[in-house]
Amino acid sequence: QVQLKETGGGLAAAGASLRLSCAASGLTFSRYAVGWFRQAPGKEREFVGAISWSGGRRIFYSDSVKGRFTISRDNANGTVYVQMNSLQPEDTAVYYCAAEKSPYGLGTHRATTYAYWGQGTQVTVSS
């Protein structure tokens, strides 16, 4: 059974940084593209960024976080990270990581591409 788990959320002041982690079990994580999404109260789920499988060397972001967030992966530890800098109150949301349905993908912004999802971690940014 595939499971993804996000950790690292919490409360941060505007301008501060947080790093979220996404760990997986039940699949060879390095072979899968991973996307990060977020959902704020009353809003639809929003794409944050994605990283391809470890051999794809592709990372891309939504315009709303580009230049502030950095996604990376540690294949030795089977973990994908998102480093979030210069946090703003509008970054407040539940953050989810997700793995694509099939291995060796490059990642997309479409949530339907991803078959395996974590339960999410809350990030709250105070002004």
Side-chain angles (χ1 to χ4, degrees):
Q1 182 179 0
V2 177
Q3 290 186 323
L4 273 64
K5 181 175 177 61
E6 306 90 345
T7 56
L11 178 63
S17 299
L18 284 175
R19 187 178 77 161
L20 306 183
S21 301
C22 174
S25 60
L27 77 171
T28 306
F29 208 27
S30 63
R31 297 179 183 175
Y32 288 80
V34 174
W36 284 94
F37 294 80
R38 66 187 181 185
Q39 188 164 20
K43 295 188 177 181
E44 293 188 354
R45 183 170 48 192
E46 174 190 17
F47 171 75
V48 172
I51 185 167
S52 65
W53 77 285
S54 60
R57 307 180 191 280
R58 181 189 187 209
I59 307 173
F60 58 103
Y61 305 91
S62 68
D63 287 343
S64 61
V65 306
K66 193 177 299 181
R68 300 188 298 121
F69 289 14
T70 303
I71 296 173
S72 61
R73 64 190 315 155
D74 181 345
N75 293 323
N77 291 318
T79 304
V80 172
Y81 304 96
V82 56
Q83 176 68 41
M84 307 186 297
N85 298 331
S86 302
L87 284 164
Q88 300 301 317
E90 51 265 35
D91 294 317
T92 295
V94 177
Y95 283 72
Y96 301 89
C97 66
E100 280 192 330
K101 296 175 188 175
S102 301
Y104 309 117
L106 296 179
T108 77
H109 65 280
R110 294 184 295 273
T112 54
T113 306
Y114 299 88
Y116 311 107
W117 291 80
Q119 291 190 332
T121 185
Q122 176 72 46
V123 171
T124 302
V125 184
S126 61
S127 58

